[in-house]
Amino acid sequence: MDTRDSGEGIRRRRMCVRCNERFTTYEQISTAVQIIKADGRREPFDRNKLLNGIRVACAKRPIAMADLEGIVDQIEEHMHSLGKTEVPSKWIGNMVLERLKAIDPVAYIRFATVYLELPDLEAVQQEINRLMGKG
């Protein structure tokens, strides 16, 4: 019967075709992106969870909080620009690694140790060698 913008979404005034009863519905566009975890589970993207993971890797490193927030902003913007409702966690992890590699190799190794599930010191050493172009 009637459709209007309600500020946060769309308000529609409707009428049931069977009983002629009138009712109102409110619609909102969902921009929530689901993250597909390695085990197949899905969970909503959580900016704070991503920022905290990066913050842990960068603890006691000379990296400004604004730089960390900038990394999360870039990832979030790129993720939304894809126009997808689901994004693999691996995609996000790789983007974090790419950005940390550019700003701080120690933070990169810290994040990589957890994200890449490096099982022992030899695997960590191999990643360090790869980072330094020795392997």
Side-chain angles (χ1 to χ4, degrees):
M1 298 181 60
D2 181 43
T3 299
R4 295 184 186 187
D5 184 5
S6 69
E8 294 181 12
I10 296 173
R11 176 187 172 269
R12 296 188 195 274
R13 192 74 179 129
R14 300 174 183 256
M15 185 170 66
C16 177
V17 293
R18 289 190 183 147
C19 67
N20 292 330
E21 187 75 26
R22 294 180 182 195
F23 60 96
T24 303
T25 61
Y26 294 91
E27 301 171 15
Q28 292 181 320
I29 297 172
S30 175
T31 59
V33 175
Q34 294 288 310
I35 304 304
I36 305 168
K37 307 298 268 183
D39 63 4
R41 288 180 301 118
R42 284 160 171 71
E43 64 181 49
F45 173 74
D46 184 344
R47 177 186 172 82
N48 290 328
K49 184 176 178 181
L50 178 59
L51 182 60
N52 287 336
I54 296 170
R55 190 179 312 162
V56 168
C58 296
K60 298 185 180 183
R61 300 299 303 156
I63 305 169
M65 188 62 187
D67 292 336
L68 303 183
E69 290 176 353
I71 290 172
V72 176
D73 289 342
Q74 290 172 8
I75 292 170
E76 194 170 16
E77 286 171 19
H78 189 67
M79 185 173 51
H80 287 296
S81 75
L82 295 173
K84 296 184 178 182
T85 57
E86 296 183 330
V87 175
S89 61
K90 185 171 187 78
W91 181 86
I92 293 172
N94 289 336
M95 288 190 73
V96 171
L97 283 176
E98 180 182 301
R99 282 155 176 76
L100 288 178
K101 184 178 184 180
I103 64 170
D104 190 279
V106 173
Y108 169 89
I109 290 298
R110 288 178 177 172
F111 191 86
T113 301
V114 175
Y115 171 68
L116 298 176
E117 298 177 355
L118 302 177
D120 53 33
L121 289 176
E122 185 177 321
V124 173
Q125 185 63 54
Q126 288 174 356
E127 188 63 26
I128 291 170
N129 290 342
R130 194 178 71 71
L131 178 63
M132 296 178 70
K134 297 179 181 178

